[in-house]
Amino acid sequence: MLEIANVEVVYNEVILVLRGLSIEVPDGQIVALLGSNGAGKTTTARAVTGLLDVHEGKITKGSITWNGEDIAGSNPSAIVRGGISQVMEGRRIFAELTVDENLGTGAFTNRSKESENYTRVMDLFPRLQERRNQTAGLLSGGEQQMLAIARALMAEPELLILDEPSLGLAPKLVEQVRDTIVGINEQGTSVLLIEQNAVMALSIANYGYIMETGKVVMDGDGQKLLADDDVKEFYLGLHSDGGEKKSFKEVKHYKRRKRWAS
Ligand code: ATP
């Protein structure tokens, strides 16, 4: 189980981005982390996977524990070895390498089980199997996203963190990505699903958190959040007054004011 408790993250020693964030990912579950641009979702992923350093970021408060062990500030490969893999935003594959070679790079922490994991991963992604010798840069956007996920699975993670896997994909491919995540979870891997596509994420999540300016503003069961009027209004753009709301908090505040006025 992953537990993030009251975490603060500061970039360049001055920019406070996470402001007391607390979320949990229990074993075997899919947990959605939602929020608009700049809410701090990617920063949360970096804090867990040890990638803050590269971005001049630091955890200045709080704790991150994985199966009871403090992992805040551990180095990225130790975290992968410990069972957490991440697919970064923007399908970071090696464009000039083949599909197989890309998968090989994902196995660096687990060479002894490379061929076993390769077979398992290819079963999940038959399309990649067909293209195993193709240069990855020539794959379609959807296939590249699948490859990025497949590569992370080569480390046989207990927890997979996906940062906006549906970004820029056509609706049909978003469905494929969603089904893939469900399949991965059914095989026993927990998933922290970072998304702006709230409907997709909540449709498969056991639990969801909505974050804004570095902290959680609402959380609950996936299905409950999906049915919540405020969530629908903000994330599906169904504003009752037809106007744009800048933040989720503002939607809630506006509705409260409306109730007072009537
Ligand atoms: P997006 O969906 O746009 O990626 P996000 O919710 O993932 O948004 P983050 O990428 O975590 O948000 O960014 C949160 C805030 O931190 C933003 O205001 C961003 O400008 C700032 N930020 C991110 N990386 C750095 C950095 N290396 N140095 C300074 N500020 C940063």
Side-chain angles (χ1 to χ4, degrees):
M1 162 142 160
L2 176 72
E3 287 175 282
I4 300 176
N6 298 312
V7 163
E8 265 186 26
V9 167
V10 173
Y11 284 113
N12 300 309
E13 295 185 2
V14 282
I15 310 161
L16 180 63
V17 170
L18 296 189
R19 301 155 186 261
L21 181 83
S22 297
I23 65 172
E24 287 180 359
V25 185
D27 292 345
Q29 294 210 350
I30 299 178
V31 172
L33 182 59
L34 311 169
S36 3
N37 274 330
K41 305 181 298 299
T42 297
T43 300
T44 306
R46 286 176 187 160
V48 175
T49 54
L51 291 173
L52 279 175
D53 274 7
V54 200
H55 300 274
E56 306 293 330
K58 243 198 188 99
I59 298 169
T60 47
K61 246 191 207 162
S63 66
I64 302 181
T65 55
W66 168 238
N67 296 335
E69 217 175 283
D70 181 9
I71 55 163
S74 301
N75 78 59
S77 54
I79 287 171
V80 176
R81 249 180 265 115
I84 303 178
S85 289
Q86 183 189 354
V87 179
M88 286 191 272
E89 188 178 341
R91 301 165 216 145
R92 311 278 179 84
I93 50 144
F94 296 107
E96 64 291 352
L97 300 185
T98 65
V99 166
D100 269 0
E101 286 164 348
N102 266 279
L103 292 179
T105 66
F108 76 101
T109 55
N110 206 354
R111 289 282 174 221
S112 61
K113 288 175 81 183
E114 183 169 350
S115 79
E116 191 185 311
N117 285 329
Y118 179 82
T119 310
R120 192 173 54 90
V121 164
M122 282 307 197
D123 281 350
L124 259 173
F125 301 99
R127 184 93 185 138
L128 292 181
Q129 174 127 41
E130 285 165 26
R131 298 179 172 242
R132 41 184 299 213
N133 296 317
Q134 192 164 327
T135 308
L138 299 175
L139 299 176
S140 71
E143 288 163 349
Q144 288 187 16
Q145 185 59 276
M146 295 299 178
L147 178 57
I149 297 173
R151 192 180 58 186
L153 291 176
M154 288 296 288
E156 213 184 346
E158 279 173 62
L159 169 66
L160 182 66
I161 301 179
L162 297 165
D163 194 352
E164 309 224 15
S166 77
L167 193 71
L169 296 182
K172 232 188 149 61
L173 293 173
V174 173
E175 256 172 54
Q176 262 182 38
V177 168
R178 188 193 56 198
D179 294 347
T180 303
I181 298 168
V182 171
I184 292 167
N185 178 248
E186 279 171 358
Q187 293 190 356
T189 309
S190 323
V191 178
L192 176 58
L193 177 56
I194 296 175
E195 265 296 342
Q196 285 196 38
N197 186 337
V199 177
M200 183 279 251
L202 291 176
S203 71
I204 57 171
N206 301 96
Y207 202 83
Y209 294 90
I210 297 174
M211 67 184 290
E212 206 163 277
T213 52
K215 56 179 179 240
V216 172
V217 289
M218 190 171 181
D219 62 320
D221 284 355
Q223 292 305 311
K224 240 189 227 161
L225 287 183
L226 197 54
D228 184 275
D229 284 343
D230 291 336
V231 174
K232 274 197 227 160
E233 187 168 338
F234 187 57
Y235 284 104
L236 306 183
L238 305 170
H239 303 318
S240 47
D241 67 344
E244 271 285 304
K245 294 287 179 298
K246 285 189 204 68
S247 73
F248 183 69
K249 263 197 213 142
E250 201 186 327
V251 167
K252 291 172 80 174
H253 184 66
Y254 169 78
K255 289 183 101 177
R256 233 175 344 215
R257 269 193 285 129
K258 218 165 63 164
R259 275 198 290 272
W260 275 102
S262 61

